[in-house]
Amino acid sequence: MTEHAVAIAGGGPTGLTLAGELALAGVDVAIVERRASQYLAGSRAGGLHSHTIEVLDQRGIADRFLSEGQMAQVAAFAGTPLDISDFPTRHPYGLGLWQNHIKRILAGRADELGCRSIANVK
């Protein structure tokens, strides 16, 4: 078995994002995932909020998500839609994008940065 400085348990959006950030800092990272692929029957999430898009933009990867998602005004309070188009941000909208796509994009970035993925671990 190969040794790594950090092993991340789980290849979901959080684990994949953490792997990418650690790799950018020069840390040798392995992602350990019990699933054999990024495919997930159904979905646990259907998009990204404005602030998340801002963070992805700061990392230089927002375009990867924006090119695949559907921009939408998604904010609401008690069922009443709220217009966030005048918020002081470059991204005053939400982005409709299924979690499978989000994970695929983040996994691609982690792979580009040299993170090793160890799948199908039980």
Side-chain angles (χ1 to χ4, degrees):
M1 177 180 253
T2 304
E3 291 189 21
H4 298 275
V6 174
I8 297 173
T14 302
L16 291 167
T17 301
L18 176 60
E21 292 302 301
L22 288 171
L24 282 171
V27 177
D28 178 31
V29 179
I31 305 162
V32 181
E33 171 60 49
R34 66 183 167 97
R35 291 185 174 86
S37 75
Q38 292 297 326
Y39 179 75
L40 180 64
S43 190
R44 297 184 181 147
L48 302 171
H49 291 281
S50 177
H51 184 66
T52 302
I53 301 167
E54 286 179 352
V55 171
L56 295 170
D57 197 17
Q58 291 169 355
R59 303 314 294 157
I61 60 172
D63 289 344
R64 299 179 191 203
F65 298 87
L66 296 173
S67 67
E68 294 192 31
Q70 177 72 38
M71 292 181 197
Q73 291 295 320
V74 296
F77 178 75
T80 302
L82 301 173
D83 181 10
I84 63 170
S85 63
D86 63 347
F87 276 22
T89 173
R90 289 183 42 196
H91 305 284
Y93 48 81
L95 187 70
L97 187 63
W98 291 116
Q99 183 171 330
N100 288 338
H101 299 286
I102 294 168
K103 287 175 59 177
R104 180 181 41 74
I105 294 166
L106 290 170
R109 177 177 182 247
D111 185 56
E112 290 168 11
L113 294 170
C115 299
R116 180 153 187 256
S117 183
I118 305 168
N120 215 13
V121 177
K122 296 179 184 193

